[in-house]
Amino acid sequence: MADSLHLDSKQMKAAESSGTPGSPPEDIDIFDEGVSHVAEKFRGTSADKRDMMVMGKKQVLRRNFNFITMLGFASTCIASWEGILTYLAFVLTDGGTPLLFWGFIACAIGQTLVYASIAEMASMSPTAGGQYHWVSEFAPKRMRKVLSYYSGWLTAIGWQVYNASVCFLVGTMVQGLIVLNDPTYIYKRWHGTLLSMSTTVFCISFNTVFASRLPIIEGMILILHVVGWFAIVITLWVMAPRADAHTALLEFTNNGGWSSDGLSAMIGLLAPMAVLIGYDCSVHMSEEIKDASVTLPRAIMGSVIVNITLVFVIVTTLCFTIGDQASAAASATGYPFIQVFYNATGSLAGTSVLTAIIIVMMAACAVSEVAAASRQVWAFARDGGLPGSVWLSRISPDWNIPLPAVTVTLLVSALISLINIGSTVALNAITSLGAIATLISYFLTIACVLYRRITGPELPPRRWSLGRWGLIINVAALLFLIPLIFFLSWPLTTPVKAINMNWSSTMLGGSLIIATIYFLIWGRTSYVPPVVHVKRDV
């Protein structure tokens, strides 16, 4: 295979004959990834080298993650049990503790099917591009370019917004602690925005100068992830009041004013779903994983199983120890879980320590999300899918990281945090936007692999396979995603006004309009679906 990944005239003809339209201008190198010096020990196994040759990509990132460190990365990147505490207000508005319990079980089952489908595709093509790469391989030939392009944008939107939402959570939780400990403090939304931006700045060092140490850091954070879980679970069971099983598991609430408890519960699913979205984070780090085609799917499913187990215990604990729900929902801190901690311990110091655990873990989550989001942007730019692709696809020669993509990710996070200044429902809108965009990317990807599974040719070889259950799992995953994508864009309360509207669908529509304009003017010539470079016969 030639060292250069430029498309010459012969390759372009081959691409056109394969049914994939479009090509980059001859004077633009969309694979200009900068000068990279990857030591042999960081180039992975023979299987990694073969996978990169098959996908037609250069090894420009260090492969320094193994199964344990990637398990830590994925577990802390999503921070599921910590996240369910931060989204508790959504559940108290729509559904109550029964929805938290039963809704989480339903979502956990459904999302496990989704991630099993993704894990199998990750074994076929372990690439940082993830969803848009797989769509380009498995979609009908005449639709490969368009579907993979939009899949790339949806994934980019989802990850950029999710990273911003985590920084938002960290900043406003710090603000909540100030409210708890200083009764004279006057809560201002712009304070939360500044704290969110400070979190963004904090993420810079761990994704630049300390980037080579990130696997070790993730392993250490995994320990805190588990130790902190024990601290909070034990404290609540020992010190908090207990609810009876009927109240905790069967008395649904409808404080959003919806026409039925069932509709209220479907809208309230945003909370248990939000903490189960994003386990494709490992996929976007795949070109930094040793023996990725087998380590990656195992890390995906391992992190899903570990976090679902931890969240289930936390959810059960909250259902029985939440105490006065009205008091928690009306907390001046802005976060019901902080009030639950205080009601249980009766101590400002104890509450501050427990809340600090959540803040530290969510800050670690932000660091990991910057890494995952920047790799996805870098990979998509490598194929010419974004404005400024030549610059965004560059790799820092000193750190072997996509520094421009990291910079853009941090800038986007800071800008999105400005929404908080003018909106009291910013978190709902941001969380919903990230969830919807990511779930649609999952839906497109699984639908395409299902199409390929049914119509042929045979799926590519993989070292982690769903076997004969693949078809059933793919179909079940799609059926699960359809109603969730529909309801996640609904506002939490009625009557619906501008101030409490969930603007996520409008924000997503606006983003896709921008993507469409870019495609029509530049993208149809600059974007080359990754399948063009795939050589399965290598």
Side-chain angles (χ1 to χ4, degrees), residues 293-536:
S293 59
V294 67
T295 301
L296 176 56
R298 289 175 180 173
I300 292 173
M301 297 311 298
S303 60
V304 168
I305 293 171
V306 168
N307 273 10
I308 283 178
T309 303
L310 297 181
V311 177
F312 179 73
V313 175
I314 282 285
V315 161
T316 305
T317 300
L318 285 173
C319 289
F320 285 92
T321 64
I322 195 170
D324 184 359
Q325 295 187 32
S327 169
S331 175
T333 66
Y335 285 95
F337 82 89
I338 297 179
Q339 191 66 44
V340 170
F341 289 167
Y342 182 71
N343 291 345
T345 63
S347 165
L348 291 176
T351 301
S352 297
V353 170
L354 294 178
T355 305
I357 293 174
I358 306 301
I359 292 174
V360 170
M361 290 307 306
M362 295 305 288
C365 169
V367 170
S368 300
E369 292 205 353
V370 168
S374 62
R375 269 54 167 190
Q376 193 279 331
V377 165
W378 164 74
F380 196 31
R382 180 174 58 180
D383 289 310
L386 293 169
S389 287
V390 173
W391 177 67
L392 282 172
S393 63
R394 294 185 184 277
I395 296 294
S396 166
D398 297 322
W399 295 324
N400 291 107
I401 61 170
L403 187 57
V406 170
T407 303
V408 168
T409 298
L410 296 171
L411 179 61
V412 169
S413 176
L415 291 176
I416 291 179
S417 67
L418 295 174
I419 297 175
N420 179 52
I421 297 177
S423 173
T424 57
V425 291
L427 178 60
N428 181 28
I430 293 173
T431 303
S432 297
L433 174 59
I436 293 170
T438 306
L439 288 181
I440 294 176
S441 76
Y442 292 169
F443 186 91
L444 274 176
T445 306
I446 297 173
C448 288
V449 77
L450 178 62
Y451 168 83
R452 173 72 173 267
R453 197 185 292 273
I454 293 174
T455 63
E458 186 178 352
L459 288 171
R462 58 274 192 197
R463 299 166 69 190
W464 194 94
S465 174
L466 296 177
R468 60 177 180 169
W469 298 101
L471 178 65
I472 296 175
I473 290 174
N474 292 161
V475 171
L478 292 176
L479 294 176
F480 166 76
L481 289 173
I482 292 172
L484 286 172
I485 293 172
F486 175 72
F487 280 108
L488 288 183
S489 63
W490 287 46
L492 291 174
T493 60
T494 58
V496 180
K497 300 178 181 179
I499 194 172
N500 70 333
M501 176 65 181
N502 185 341
W503 294 100
S504 59
S505 56
T506 304
M507 295 163 69
L508 179 60
S511 300
L512 293 180
I513 288 174
I514 294 173
T516 301
I517 293 173
Y518 178 76
F519 181 81
L520 293 176
I521 299 176
W522 296 287
R524 59 181 177 178
T525 55
S526 67
Y527 174 61
V528 179
V531 69
V532 169
H533 308 288
V534 173
K535 301 288 190 298
R536 288 291 174 190

Side-chain angles (χ1 to χ4, degrees), residues 21-87:
S23 62
E26 292 181 359
D27 60 337
I28 294 179
D29 180 7
I30 62 171
F31 298 104
D32 181 9
E33 296 162 338
V35 179
S36 176
H37 303 281
V38 181
E40 180 62 32
K41 66 177 181 178
F42 294 125
R43 294 179 185 174
T45 64
S46 58
D48 293 322
K49 295 174 183 177
R50 183 178 64 251
D51 288 335
M52 295 298 283
M53 288 183 64
V54 168
M55 294 183 292
K57 303 299 183 185
K58 296 178 183 177
Q59 183 65 54
V60 295
L61 303 176
R62 294 191 185 106
R63 292 188 180 270
N64 52 7
F65 280 93
N66 56 33
F67 172 75
I68 295 299
T69 53
M70 185 46 59
L71 180 66
F73 178 91
S75 297
T76 57
C77 184
I78 308 305
S80 291
W81 74 259
E82 299 91 340
I84 199 67
L85 292 169
T86 65
Y87 296 131

Side-chain angles (χ1 to χ4, degrees), residues 39-259:
E40 180 62 32
K41 66 177 181 178
F42 294 125
R43 294 179 185 174
T45 64
S46 58
D48 293 322
K49 295 174 183 177
R50 183 178 64 251
D51 288 335
M52 295 298 283
M53 288 183 64
V54 168
M55 294 183 292
K57 303 299 183 185
K58 296 178 183 177
Q59 183 65 54
V60 295
L61 303 176
R62 294 191 185 106
R63 292 188 180 270
N64 52 7
F65 280 93
N66 56 33
F67 172 75
I68 295 299
T69 53
M70 185 46 59
L71 180 66
F73 178 91
S75 297
T76 57
C77 184
I78 308 305
S80 291
W81 74 259
E82 299 91 340
I84 199 67
L85 292 169
T86 65
Y87 296 131
L88 190 57
F90 298 166
V91 175
L92 294 180
T93 301
D94 291 306
T97 54
L99 174 71
L100 186 62
F101 184 83
W102 300 110
F104 175 75
I105 292 176
C107 290
I109 294 172
Q111 284 295 87
T112 299
L113 300 176
V114 169
Y115 290 120
S117 301
I118 289 176
E120 184 180 44
M121 286 181 277
S123 186
M124 299 176 198
S125 299
T127 168
Q131 289 94 306
Y132 84 90
H133 179 105
W134 302 328
V135 169
S136 78
E137 280 206 69
F138 305 136
K141 286 185 177 181
R142 62 188 179 87
M143 301 179 68
R144 283 175 177 172
K145 186 166 189 174
V146 172
L147 288 182
S148 65
Y149 175 80
Y150 280 110
S151 180
W153 270 84
L154 286 166
T155 308
I157 291 169
W159 273 104
Q160 295 296 322
V161 169
Y162 253 136
N163 176 61
S165 71
V166 172
C167 293
F168 175 96
L169 288 170
V170 173
T172 50
M173 279 191 288
V174 172
Q175 197 176 12
L177 270 187
I178 297 173
V179 171
L180 179 70
N181 289 277
D182 184 5
T184 64
Y185 172 70
I186 300 176
Y187 193 100
K188 298 290 185 181
R189 289 199 297 273
W190 65 268
H191 294 175
T193 294
L194 289 179
L195 288 167
S196 298
M197 290 182 176
S198 299
T199 304
T200 301
V201 173
F202 167 79
C203 295
I204 292 176
S205 60
F206 287 97
N207 281 278
T208 52
V209 295
F210 298 132
S212 63
R213 303 294 181 185
L214 191 57
I216 297 175
I217 295 171
E218 294 295 347
M220 296 171 61
I221 293 297
L222 178 59
I223 296 174
L224 182 58
H225 182 64
V226 175
V227 172
W229 174 84
F230 274 109
I232 289 174
V233 167
I234 292 172
T235 299
L236 290 179
W237 278 114
V238 171
M239 304 186 71
R242 304 284 181 85
D244 61 88
H246 184 274
T247 301
L249 304 180
L250 296 176
E251 291 188 2
F252 288 82
T253 60
N254 184 1
N255 295 324
W258 296 102
S259 58

